[in-house]
Amino acid sequence: MATGMEQIRNIGIVAHIDAGKTTTTERILFYAGMTHRLGNVDDGNTVTDWMIQERERGITITSAAITCAWRNTQINLIDTPGHVDFTIEVERALRVLDGAVGVFCAVGGVQPQSETVWRQANRYHVSRIAFVNKMDRMGANFERAVGEMREKLGANAVPVMMPVGAAENYAGEIDLITLKYRHYLDAEGKTFEDVAVPAALADAAQAGHEALLEALAEVDDTFMEAYLEEPEQPAEAVKAAIRRAVIAQAMVPVFCGSSLKNKGVQALLDGVVDYLPSPNERKAPVGTHVKTEEPTEIEMSASAPLSALVFKIATDSYVGRLFFVRVYGGVLKRGQQVYNPRTKKRERVMKLLRVKSDEEEELETLEAGDIGAVVGLKEVTTGDTLCVENKPVALMGITAPEPVMFMAIEPKSTAEKDKLAGALGQLAAEDPTCQVRVDGETGQQILCGMGELHLEILVDRLKREFNVMANTGKPMVSYYETVTMTARQTYTFDREIAGKRHCATLTIEVSPLERGKGRQALVAKSAMKGLPKPEYSAIITNALFDAIATGVLARYPMTDVRAEVVDCAIMDEETASDVAFRSAAVIGFREAALAAQPEFLEPIMSLDIVTPPEYVGDIMGDINGRRGQVRDMEMKGDLQEVRAQVPLAELFGYATAIRSLSRGRAGYTMETGAFAVVPRAVKEELLNR
């Protein structure tokens, strides 16, 4: 296997749930020679869905990293989940990948989670190619799927393959570059021959070929010059132009096939090698120099200083904790001492592994551009940078969304208390969207996650992987508090504690931020003049964040709020103290926040329902009864798609309800849309709990 940076592709498979990501990945591994049988999601024997919870449910829960080779090119491939509860797995995969394959269902087209992962890829500037899967399904429509990519995703989607037939008549694909028809000779799709296009399809293929060349001329100046001189360009020139357009993110080539029927995947693999960028074709990442705090561009070569990002942590039953890393610059060696800028500590790399899902191969080095796993690190968490101490650079970390659901959890016996705490700590270290906190009033441990399924999986893993039996409460919605106007309050803390007087006065302004902006706390430069010591600024800021975390209405954490200390005053330096400034900050913030018309926020889910038309009326009535709003409706084949926004609090048990309403014929998916202020009736209920 070649290891030069030009012959590496770091790619991810991303899509809506049930679009066929894992099946496509299985076919890629089979054709690349990594496996000798075709795994099936329904049979629970796929390589990348290796967790027992994944095989039982037939869904992907954790992103699985695996390495294979195709045409002398090393492909580091990550199969990501499609379920909204595990969106962090997509987020951290796209953070370190150079390219992605977007898989779309030929029947469903662009579905809600397709839009989410596409936006995530946009955020990280990841080049993409698209694969329209399930062309063998009843209702498959290639042209509609491509059209939705353009309309809903804003992508310049251009077919490079054309399907021959659809549904039960699906026979193969026509390559619109070479104008050859790929005819499969066996059921597994291992052998095929490229033959002349059938006469009945010649005109359509020629039209597709010309549309591809015209689309290329619009986005690539070099190709346009050649195309204007000679409209019929050689295949090599067309492929080179497509590659330039994909790397520039000006085009998304669209392939088609049926992964389950082993058709179209080998052409997709060729597309990965031909069109997606190698690590050195991406824009160099920019880190922050730890000492000077200046932006520093990372040199992406083996001769550069080490710079690697830990993007995922997993627990292996044999080797312990695996730290998945993407090496951007330099060489990571077995036995090497690495520096973590966050903890300011050195750690030793005990082992380096090339991961084949749940199997590993030991390595001596990982060079710039490569992805692998490290064993032996102790105080490293997701988003940390590994570098050299004499040139410490911190790469941009990974942002995790706020949990929207929680449940109380406690050990079944006192003897298991420490065991449960350790297991929850490991789960939280692996998954940034899994948070564990202690309720200040009840002393209960609270497990927070992204949804009912997420919490169910976490509890199941506690039992099976960590052998911890726990009692759990009913899942509940994570509400937040915010303010809706700006208010300013001055508070003086003046108290005698243990025979010493503590006194400080702070003027604090609390104001709302845009939805999704989080929390801000700071001491204004003008207020710094009133502080006897500069270090009091950090004490005040930390106190403000603590106050924000506990809320003012019902102890829910606050969000989308800004707290700024605009003035500081002291009686004298003897009475100024840590206690005085901290207490003045906490109490002053509470008074200002209460004056700024605080409200509760609740998570609103984007609900996408696909149903036979005869059940639409009942389903819409049910949505209205759940405080929901229908946003739009669209016919997809013979099914009606209903998109709505519904508060998460009203969606407990929705799977059972929709089965009852539609006699089991409707399906739905949902994802977190936004947070919104709760109605007055819900506010009163929350205040009276």
Side-chain angles (χ1 to χ4, degrees), residues 618-661:
D618 290 340
I619 286 172
M620 289 178 65
D622 182 67
I623 289 171
N624 292 332
R626 295 174 185 269
R627 296 194 285 122
Q629 289 183 329
V630 175
R631 287 191 295 132
D632 60 68
M633 298 170 63
E634 181 184 353
M635 285 299 295
K636 286 201 169 180
D638 57 351
L639 295 175
Q640 181 82 52
E641 181 180 37
V642 180
R643 291 191 178 194
Q645 289 188 318
V646 186
L648 177 59
E650 305 292 338
L651 287 172
F652 286 99
Y654 190 65
T656 304
I658 198 168
R659 279 199 297 269
S660 174
L661 288 167

Side-chain angles (χ1 to χ4, degrees), residues 8 90 150 214 343 357 367 493 561 572 589 607 685:
I8 293 177
V90 185
R150 294 169 180 156
E214 288 172 8
T343 61
S357 188
E367 295 194 359
F493 181 85
V561 64
D572 53 56
F589 169 81
L607 191 65
E685 182 186 334

Side-chain angles (χ1 to χ4, degrees), residues 101-113:
V101 177
V103 179
F104 298 88
C105 174
V107 180
V110 174
Q111 297 163 288
Q113 195 67 9

